[in-house]
Amino acid sequence: DDDIYDVIILEYHLRAPEGLQVLAQRLRERFPDALIIFFKIWHPFYVRRKDSRQNFFEWVTETVGENIPLQSDLIHEAMLQTKEEDWTYVQQPQCDSAWTYVQQPQCDSAIEEAATAVGGYIYELPKNASPRMAIIHHSHWFAKDFHHLSERGHALVANGISKLINQYGSRSDRLGTWSGGDSCQSWFTDGNVEVSYEGNIQVAQFGDGKHALEVYMGEGGNLQVMNPFDTVRTLYLTYMAMGPAPSLYPTTKVILMNEDSQNLGVDMDLDPTSYVPDGHRVHVAKVTKVGSVPPGRTIVNLRPLQDTELHFRLTGISLTSDFGFDYVLYGNQ
């Protein structure tokens, strides 16, 4: 793909410490003149009660009722009944307010470091200094699910990002490299698995048109992964995960071997749990760095370690050059 992108927008606020800088550096290497914008967003889920540790959604469910849209007058009236001094935006948990934002100092610093490393810019969704007033005045920015942006929210963000593009964006025909080449495969959307596999493993469809290689208890199964390059590449596996714990997927052991079944020094457990800071339930694809594979064929042995409600679901593999970081990335289901 030789397409050239002049503007790249990255929205990985909650997962910024888990590989954002690596992603940004690789994009900068490929697109040396692109305007890279990092989007920092907040959600009503970030607001919690200090006394009970309930997030805002849980408080609404208990205080106002279930399945109440965020823009409901009932929620607005309930918030107005609280006192301003009961709400504050703090970073230290020992503060005495009844309400506070869930703080993401590591996420913020990771975004700032990534932006600095690649000469990028940060756009932050405006946030009132008071969590109480943020909910009262800005609930219309969010959809009924308390999480995604509404049409008005998207318009606000689009306007802010457009200003950055008009000020700093420029047209370029320069195209860099991917550090010698990558090889990636995903069968999540079409079920077309091009890697060879054997054992207690098969292609399965789940959800609405999603696909995975399901690995079953017992001996598990093997994948034969081909590194087509002349030099070592780093192997990443993409698999389904749930959060918060406990996940309905099993912890699964992965071992890398050569064609003679000799261990290549990688023996690790894949954790199918998504550790979501704000505590709401998620079902996502998780990408984990497994280890280095030499040129040619490598056998990837997968063996579930737990008998759980759902089978281990592998949705893709990637072979890529590496900047030396060890990290895990997350993507939406």
Side-chain angles (χ1 to χ4, degrees):
D1 187 348
D2 292 330
D3 290 342
I4 298 176
Y5 296 93
D6 295 318
V7 179
I8 299 171
I9 302 171
L10 301 176
E11 182 193 345
Y12 290 100
H13 186 202
L14 292 180
R15 298 301 172 189
E18 300 165 346
L20 180 62
Q21 186 169 339
V22 176
L23 173 62
Q25 286 177 298
R26 288 183 58 78
L27 289 170
R28 173 58 72 213
E29 185 176 20
R30 180 63 169 172
F31 307 105
D33 299 323
L35 170 63
I36 301 180
I37 299 174
F38 299 81
F39 179 28
K40 289 172 58 176
I41 189 172
W42 66 274
H43 307 280
F45 274 106
Y46 286 18
V47 179
R48 290 181 183 267
R49 282 197 62 90
K50 290 287 289 185
D51 49 6
S52 66
R53 302 306 301 164
Q54 288 178 311
N55 64 37
F56 179 69
F57 177 80
E58 293 168 338
W59 177 81
V60 168
T61 300
E62 180 179 289
T63 306
V64 183
E66 297 183 358
N67 302 318
I68 306 297
L70 179 58
Q71 293 79 15
S72 168
D73 290 339
L74 295 175
I75 294 178
H76 186 77
E77 292 170 2
M79 293 296 291
L80 289 176
Q81 292 176 9
T82 64
K83 297 179 180 179
E84 181 61 31
E85 58 266 27
D86 292 336
W87 300 72
T88 185
Y89 179 72
V90 297
Q91 294 198 14
Q92 301 301 326
Q94 63 266 28
C95 291
D96 294 329
S97 64
W99 296 82
T100 180
Y101 281 116
V102 176
Q103 297 303 301
Q104 301 296 334
Q106 290 183 328
C107 299
D108 290 345
S109 62
I111 289 179
E112 292 163 4
E113 291 170 3
T116 300
V118 300
Y121 294 86
I122 297 173
Y123 172 76
E124 183 172 6
L125 184 69
K127 181 169 60 179
N128 196 289
S130 161
R132 176 177 179 268
M133 299 307 293
I135 297 295
I136 291 174
H137 292 302
H138 303 317
S139 63
H140 59 277
W141 290 348
F142 302 95
K144 296 179 180 179
D145 62 3
F146 290 55
H147 179 71
H148 294 92
L149 291 174
S150 65
E151 185 175 344
R152 293 178 67 177
H154 279 292
L156 174 72
V157 173
N159 182 63
I161 289 178
S162 293
K163 291 180 179 179
L164 283 177
I165 295 174
N166 291 334
Q167 185 173 359
Y168 301 109
S170 62
R171 178 75 175 86
S172 174
D173 292 320
R174 286 211 300 159
L175 188 65
T177 70
W178 292 118
S179 299
D182 297 335
S183 176
C184 305
Q185 299 182 47
S186 173
W187 44 88
F188 183 72
T189 58
D190 60 13
N192 183 22
V193 181
E194 297 182 354
V195 297
S196 298
Y197 57 91
E198 61 182 5
N200 205 10
I201 180 172
Q202 67 179 26
V203 179
Q205 181 173 332
F206 66 99
D208 184 15
K210 303 175 178 66
H211 304 82
L213 277 175
E214 287 194 339
V215 185
Y216 306 110
M217 282 291 293
E219 295 300 318
N222 292 332
L223 302 178
Q224 294 188 23
V225 176
M226 175 62 70
N227 176 0
F229 305 103
D230 295 330
T231 56
V232 170
R233 287 295 185 270
T234 301
L235 172 67
Y236 298 84
L237 297 181
T238 306
Y239 52 97
M240 299 307 299
M242 287 184 172
S247 175
L248 299 182
Y249 292 110
T251 299
T252 298
K253 180 171 290 296
V254 55
I255 299 175
L256 300 186
M257 301 177 290
N258 62 22
E259 292 186 275
D260 297 324
S261 298
Q262 296 175 323
N263 195 308
L264 295 178
V266 175
D267 185 334
M268 63 181 293
D269 294 344
L270 300 177
D271 179 7
T273 304
S274 175
Y275 297 94
V276 182
D278 59 26
H280 69 282
R281 196 72 180 169
V282 296
H283 189 194
V284 296
K286 182 175 181 178
V287 184
T288 297
K289 176 181 176 180
V290 175
S292 299
V293 297
R297 197 178 308 276
T298 295
I299 297 174
V300 181
N301 176 254
L302 296 166
R303 181 166 57 87
L305 302 178
Q306 301 164 313
D307 188 8
T308 51
E309 181 175 334
L310 300 176
H311 302 296
F312 180 78
R313 289 172 174 161
L314 184 73
T315 63
I317 61 172
S318 302
L319 292 173
T320 179
S321 53
D322 201 349
F323 281 85
F325 291 82
D326 187 10
Y327 57 90
V328 176
L329 295 177
Y330 292 73
N332 291 332
Q333 177 182 331

